[in-house]
Amino acid sequence: MKSPVRKGSLLSCMAALMLIMSGAALAVDAVDLSQSPEVSGVQEAARMPKQQERMALNYVNQPPMIPHSVDGYQVSTRTNRCLACHGVEHYRSTGAPRISPTHFMDSNGKVLSGVAPRRYFCLQCHVPQADAAPIVGNTFEPSKGFGQ
């Protein structure tokens, strides 16, 4: 049996949702970091060398950062440019690190024959490293023995 929904309450909810969404859109427009004096010039300062040394990890299980540019890399449901070098079939010939065995396990711990769907989109966790000043200051300290 369906519960009755009053038209007035449904319209009120929809109106409130529209107000929230428009407010969020205005907030996004209002915060333009590229115009901030603390951030201006970050794009120019964050030049990414074609190759650089891998950065040290700062905590246990941190996804390694990418030591090269990924501009133009395509990662979609049909293709993953990262696997052309880091995949099991190619890493030996390219000299790139092989993707972790954990990337072949599904959410239940079952080992799959290919990269698990939840680990397929590399750029969700792995980001290109760049020599740039932080946009926002922080007081993060690496775990003992890390970041060296």
Side-chain angles (χ1 to χ4, degrees):
M1 177 177 212
K2 291 184 179 179
S3 62
V5 177
R6 294 189 316 223
K7 274 189 179 179
S9 64
L10 183 59
L11 290 174
S12 296
C13 288
M14 289 176 60
L17 182 60
M18 289 174 60
L19 281 173
I20 290 169
M21 291 173 59
S22 65
L26 289 174
V28 169
D29 288 342
V31 180
D32 183 4
L33 291 176
S34 65
Q35 301 305 315
S36 170
E38 298 86 26
V39 182
S40 62
V42 169
Q43 293 283 32
E44 296 82 26
R47 290 190 172 73
M48 172 128 4
K50 185 166 181 150
Q51 284 289 347
Q52 56 185 326
E53 293 298 315
R54 287 193 282 170
M55 296 176 81
L57 301 180
N58 292 307
Y59 55 90
V60 176
N61 295 327
Q62 174 187 352
M65 293 178 69
I66 304 168
H68 57 81
S69 174
V70 293
D71 288 345
Y73 275 37
Q74 184 176 5
V75 178
S76 69
T77 56
R78 295 178 186 241
T79 185
N80 184 328
R81 170 66 174 86
C82 303
L83 295 177
C85 294
H86 297 277
V88 176
E89 308 84 26
H90 307 289
Y91 80 96
R92 285 189 180 106
S93 62
T94 63
R98 181 180 60 86
I99 59 175
S100 167
T102 60
H103 288 56
F104 292 89
M105 292 192 306
D106 69 8
S107 56
N108 297 320
K110 180 183 174 194
V111 178
L112 307 173
S113 61
V115 176
R118 67 186 190 129
R119 297 291 187 101
Y120 182 80
F121 295 96
C122 309
L123 301 176
Q124 288 182 157
C125 299
H126 302 278
V127 296
Q129 61 193 36
D131 186 19
I135 294 174
V136 178
N138 73 59
T139 57
F140 175 80
E141 294 288 329
S143 297
K144 188 174 182 175
F146 285 86
Q148 300 166 357

